[in-house]
Amino acid sequence: MTARLIDGKALSAQLRDGVARRCSALKARGVTPGLAVILVGDDPASQVYVRNKVKACEDAGIRSVLERHDATLTEAALLARVQALNADPAIHGILVQLPLPAQIDSHKVIEAIAPGKDVDGFHVASAGALMVGRPGFRPCTPYGCMKMLESIGMTDLRGKHAVVIGRSNIVGKPMAMLLLAANATVTICHSGTADLGALTRQADIVVAAVGKRKVLTAGMVKPGAVVIDVGMNRDEAGKLCGDVDFDGVREVAGWITPVPGGVGPMTIAMLLVNTVESTERGA
Ligand code: NAP
């Protein structure tokens, strides 16, 4: 079997078109969605991520306000900026690009964001809402993965076994909660899991969110399974690659997401979806 590709680039373009239409409708009512992006310091990867997010906002008709701060910014000064943006009616979403410099407690900063503007979905209120099935913002990466499953007709996952590899607060855990909410039976694996392959071979859906190459190889996948690769790594040649041994696994899986062009573009699209949603809630 050669797996079919779930094309994150094409799907994210569709989602962004939808956001652009919703932005136009809001603008016709005199409301322009606004996203504040805070970048502290000069981490090169963060600069690229922020640039991509700002550009995606502009393309979709969301007004983005990029705040750049020196790496020496104090925690108190950053908290004051977040409070000011919380109170700003023209701002509907606030994103603080992580990581933050060592002198700043990132948890404190994320918890300072008003939950109604937490479009990254990292606030404990958002995590709690997801846990108890209440409305709240879903973290963009796992939310994008769910949209990828929906795009291949997998909406109700009753009777399906999903294995999530990785348990971070921003990817693995919320991913598991979203799969559970869609009625899947969910197993969460991590570095302490014994015999990962024995579990993944039982899975109808595998989501790999580890950050290590070839964590999932062909022999670990049930024929026909859906494989979603969240990982972002570099191979020996410096080329972007995921956690999945793509060439091997695509011969066994039924569906697979590529890297690049898979989960990455979906993450940005879901940030735009959350921002327009936040604006609609308040408009
Ligand atoms: P993280 O916080 O480092 O978490 C990695 C998880 O993988 C941990 O739970 C860890 O287990 C587990 N793990 C490590 N080695 C393992 C192994 N050999 N077998 C099974 N589990 C193992 O990383 P993250 O922030 O969730 O990100 C994961 C990957 O996704 C990274 O490559 C990141 O760049 C990528 N990512 C991509 C996007 C995107 O938009 N495409 C967005 C976010 C993240 P322990 O908990 O036991 O340590």
Side-chain angles (χ1 to χ4, degrees):
M1 173 182 293
T2 300
R4 282 185 277 177
L5 283 190
I6 308 178
D7 184 344
K9 219 170 149 188
L11 184 56
S12 69
Q14 275 176 30
L15 286 161
R16 282 149 69 144
D17 283 349
V19 168
R21 279 195 295 277
R22 288 160 77 180
C23 282
S24 300
L26 282 161
K27 282 180 188 164
R29 292 160 56 196
V31 182
T32 300
L35 174 70
V37 180
I38 301 182
L39 176 63
V40 185
D42 44 21
D43 176 60
S46 294
Q47 297 202 22
V48 174
Y49 295 147
V50 161
R51 201 164 50 233
N52 291 342
K53 288 169 188 174
V54 167
K55 163 96 173 51
C57 280
E58 278 165 15
D59 292 349
I62 293 172
R63 188 177 71 96
S64 65
V65 180
L66 173 58
E67 279 195 18
R68 288 172 180 276
H69 296 280
D70 199 80
T72 56
L73 185 77
T74 63
E75 184 180 281
L78 181 53
L79 289 171
R81 279 310 305 144
V82 171
Q83 294 300 351
L85 292 164
N86 283 343
D88 184 342
I91 294 297
H92 306 92
I94 302 170
L95 182 156
V96 178
Q97 184 64 43
L98 301 177
L100 290 168
Q103 76 276 13
I104 299 176
D105 178 348
S106 52
H107 290 287
K108 231 182 188 173
V109 175
I110 299 300
E111 297 322 311
I113 296 172
K117 297 188 179 186
D118 176 40
V119 289
D120 244 349
F122 294 168
H123 196 290
V124 287
S126 303
L130 184 56
M131 174 82 98
V132 297
R134 303 290 302 162
F137 291 111
R138 284 160 276 197
C140 301
T141 299
Y143 191 13
C145 294
M146 293 308 290
K147 287 282 171 200
M148 292 178 118
L149 289 173
E150 278 176 33
S151 77
I152 57 165
M154 297 187 86
T155 38
D156 189 345
L157 304 179
R158 203 172 295 268
K160 304 282 184 207
H161 181 195
V163 169
V164 179
I165 318 174
R167 58 172 166 181
S168 73
N169 292 336
I170 60 168
V171 190
K173 284 182 204 162
M175 185 74 236
M177 293 309 306
L178 287 168
L179 288 161
L180 199 57
N183 298 317
T185 301
V186 182
T187 302
I188 310 178
C189 301
H190 47 79
S191 67
T193 300
D195 200 354
L196 183 62
L199 294 162
T200 56
R201 272 190 293 276
Q202 297 173 33
D204 304 294
I205 300 163
V206 183
V207 180
V210 174
K212 287 183 186 157
R213 290 169 56 201
K214 301 192 181 174
V215 157
L216 193 76
T217 54
M220 298 167 77
V221 175
K222 177 161 103 174
V226 180
V227 175
I228 297 191
D229 192 351
V230 179
M232 284 201 302
N233 311 296
R234 296 270 165 197
D235 68 13
E236 298 90 352
K239 230 178 96 209
L240 192 64
C241 65
D243 290 346
V244 174
D245 177 15
F246 184 83
D247 290 339
V249 170
R250 74 179 308 180
E251 297 304 325
V252 183
W255 291 93
I256 190 166
T257 66
V259 179
V263 175
M266 293 299 292
T267 297
I268 295 194
M270 300 326 291
L271 172 68
L272 305 183
V273 168
N274 277 347
T275 304
V276 82
E277 168 113 26
S278 174
T279 315
E280 287 168 349
R281 282 183 199 172

